[in-house]
């Protein structure tokens, strides 16, 4: 074999392990996170996990849940875990989602974080141009399918009205108490499921700070570390707290009236609350949190310094707030 032939083969071999291909040799440059799902406890995700491990996944999450259920705790944890540059890998796309709309929703959430998606047995790899094209085709097909469904629904409603039929639940039309209660319970169950997904954002703060701190300050502490699209309003937070109190997840005391606090004690209380939620937090991180809350310094400035935070922490300790 000539020297030129050897160089050519070496170049082709090197390119075969680039990030644009479907193999996973460069896990150091693009960490691969695997997700395996089976529907029942009788099934085992082991074959999927072995395939994901062979593909080079550095972490593999397994879940027993129905594919039709979008509120899967392990999947939610995986999406929260991925970071920019990571790739979520599944064996087949039906292991991730049973509907095209759910698949596109998950991929959009990954792209918003700068992450990618790959299916080992399907031509989908959003890190490659071919995979992105396939995804665009799927998105166009989904939009076309939704348009057809809307048109068929409209035509069916017009036809039903022409024949004198009225859609909807007969019990709701007659305001039957049993039907009304059934609908209310279904909506309440859905609401509680949504609250469970966000409970880690607000329940610990409410349990720790209420009723010693006013709702306005509790709300600002809750919203401080959250992205803007996940911010709570006071009315929404109160509704969630009342629902948790009603079901026994929070004590009645959190809904009590907050005591009057001296003006000089307010900032130490807020700083102590931030420190209490994360004892390892640095002074500079507390400064950043206060600035994100748009809390002014004792002198009325918008920019915080670690020395000011340290002074407030010392005062909070003297007041017994820490």
């Amino acid at each position: 074999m000539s020297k030129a032939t050897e160089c050519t083969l070496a170049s082709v071999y090197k390119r075969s392990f680039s990030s644009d291909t479907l193999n996973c040799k460069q896990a150091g440059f693009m960490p691969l996170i695997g997700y395996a799902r089976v529907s029942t406890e009788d099934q085992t995700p082991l074959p999927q996990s072995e395939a994901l491990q062979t593909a080079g996944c550095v972490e593999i999450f397994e879940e027993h849940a129905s594919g039709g259920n979008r509120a899967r705790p392990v999947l939610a944890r995986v999406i929260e875990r991925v970071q920019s540059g990571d790739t979520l890998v599944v064996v087949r796309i039906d292991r991730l989602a049973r509907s095209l709309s759910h698949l596109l929703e998950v991929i959009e959430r990954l792209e918003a974080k700068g992450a990618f998606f790959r299916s080992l047995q399907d031509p989908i790899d959003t890190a490659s141009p071919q995979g992105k094209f396939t995804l665009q085709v799927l998105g166009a097909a989904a939009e076309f399918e939704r348009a057809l469904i809307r048109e068929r629904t409209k035509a069916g409603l017009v036809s039903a009205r022409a024949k004198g039929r009225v859609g909807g639940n007969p019990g709701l039309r007659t305001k039957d108490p049993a039907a009304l209660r059934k609908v209310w319970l279904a909506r309440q169950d859905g609401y509680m499921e949504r609250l469970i997904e966000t409970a880690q954002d607000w329940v610990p703060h409410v349990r720790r700070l209420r009723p010693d701190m006013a709702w306005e300050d509790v709300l600002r502490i809750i919203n401080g570390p959250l992205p803007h699209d996940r911010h709570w309003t006071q009315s929404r937070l109160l509704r969630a707290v009342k629902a948790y109190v009603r079901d026994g997840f929070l004590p009645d005391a959190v809904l009590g009236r907050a005591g009057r606090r001296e003006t000089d004690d307010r900032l130490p209380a807020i700083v102590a609350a931030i420190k209490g939620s994360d004892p390892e937090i640095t002074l500079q991180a507390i400064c950043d949190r206060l600035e994100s809350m748009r809390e002014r310094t004792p002198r009325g400035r918008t920019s915080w310094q670690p020395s000011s935070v340290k002074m407030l922490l010392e005062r909070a300790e003297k007041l017994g707030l820490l």
Side-chain angles (χ1 to χ4, degrees):
M1 184 180 296
S2 66
K3 186 68 175 178
T5 303
E6 290 179 358
C7 292
T8 302
L9 291 176
S11 176
V12 172
Y13 181 80
K14 181 177 180 181
R15 287 199 303 271
S16 69
F17 292 100
S18 67
S19 59
D20 290 334
T21 62
L22 287 180
N23 67 59
C24 309
K25 298 292 184 180
Q26 287 188 331
F29 296 97
M30 185 178 293
L32 305 178
I33 299 175
Y35 174 74
R37 181 192 64 79
V38 290
S39 299
T40 65
E41 294 292 340
D42 297 335
Q43 297 174 315
T44 174
L46 183 59
Q48 297 179 50
S49 298
E50 290 176 346
L52 294 170
Q53 186 175 8
T54 302
C57 294
V58 295
E59 291 184 72
I60 298 175
F61 295 82
E62 299 179 350
E63 183 165 34
H64 290 79
S66 170
N69 180 16
R70 297 193 179 193
R72 288 176 246 154
V74 175
L75 178 59
R77 190 163 68 248
V78 172
I79 296 176
E80 189 70 23
R81 156 71 180 81
V82 297
Q83 301 175 359
S84 178
D86 292 350
T87 300
L88 177 61
V89 184
V90 296
V91 175
R92 298 188 309 275
I93 57 175
D94 66 341
R95 299 299 88 196
L96 179 68
R98 284 288 180 85
S99 66
L100 184 55
S101 61
H102 188 206
L103 174 65
L104 296 176
E105 175 188 331
V106 172
I107 294 177
E108 286 177 1
R109 293 177 63 184
L110 293 174
E111 289 184 340
K113 302 182 70 171
F116 305 99
F117 171 73
R118 178 181 302 169
S119 174
L120 299 179
Q121 297 183 11
D122 302 290
I124 299 179
D125 180 2
T126 59
S128 68
Q130 296 87 346
K132 290 181 178 179
F133 174 74
T134 303
L135 188 62
Q136 291 172 355
V137 172
L138 289 174
E143 181 60 32
F144 179 66
E145 181 183 7
R146 286 192 293 268
L148 290 178
I149 292 174
R150 285 195 297 267
E151 292 300 323
R152 288 196 295 265
T153 302
K154 291 178 181 178
L157 291 173
V158 170
S159 175
R161 291 193 190 101
K163 297 176 181 179
R165 294 201 301 267
V166 180
N169 189 318
L172 296 181
R173 289 202 305 270
T174 59
K175 296 185 178 180
D176 178 62
L180 292 173
R181 177 169 176 76
K182 185 176 181 180
V183 171
W184 180 85
L185 289 174
R187 290 177 178 173
Q188 192 65 25
D189 289 343
Y191 175 64
M192 294 303 292
E193 287 182 3
R194 293 193 298 273
L195 284 186
I196 291 173
E197 296 176 1
T198 61
Q200 70 277 3
D201 294 338
W202 56 276
V203 170
H205 295 292
V206 171
R207 189 187 301 276
R208 186 168 46 86
L209 302 177
R210 287 291 304 167
D212 297 329
M213 185 173 288
W215 283 112
E216 293 84 356
D217 293 330
V218 174
L219 182 68
R220 296 170 74 176
I221 291 173
I222 291 173
N223 286 336
L226 298 178
H228 184 73
D229 59 346
R230 288 173 56 189
H231 276 194
W232 291 76
T233 63
Q234 186 167 327
S235 59
R236 181 168 161 245
L237 178 62
L238 282 172
R239 183 191 174 195
V241 171
K242 289 177 181 178
Y244 262 44
V245 169
R246 184 193 64 237
D247 289 354
F249 297 127
L250 284 172
D252 295 341
V254 298
L255 292 174
R257 182 183 296 274
R260 184 180 297 275
R261 185 179 294 277
E262 298 294 333
T263 304
D264 292 343
D265 294 350
R266 180 176 173 276
L267 281 176
I270 292 176
V271 173
I274 296 174
K275 181 71 173 178
S277 64
D278 183 6
E280 303 299 324
I281 193 171
T282 63
L283 295 177
Q284 184 58 54
I286 296 178
C287 291
D288 297 338
R289 182 78 62 84
L290 291 169
E291 290 176 4
S292 69
M293 294 166 58
R294 298 184 179 181
E295 193 69 51
R296 291 186 176 271
T297 68
R299 296 186 179 182
R301 298 174 181 173
T302 58
S303 179
W304 283 82
Q305 298 297 325
S307 58
S308 299
V309 173
K310 183 178 180 181
M311 178 189 67
L312 290 173
L313 285 173
E314 292 173 351
R315 178 169 176 76
E317 190 171 1
K318 290 179 181 179
L319 294 171
L321 300 175
L322 284 176

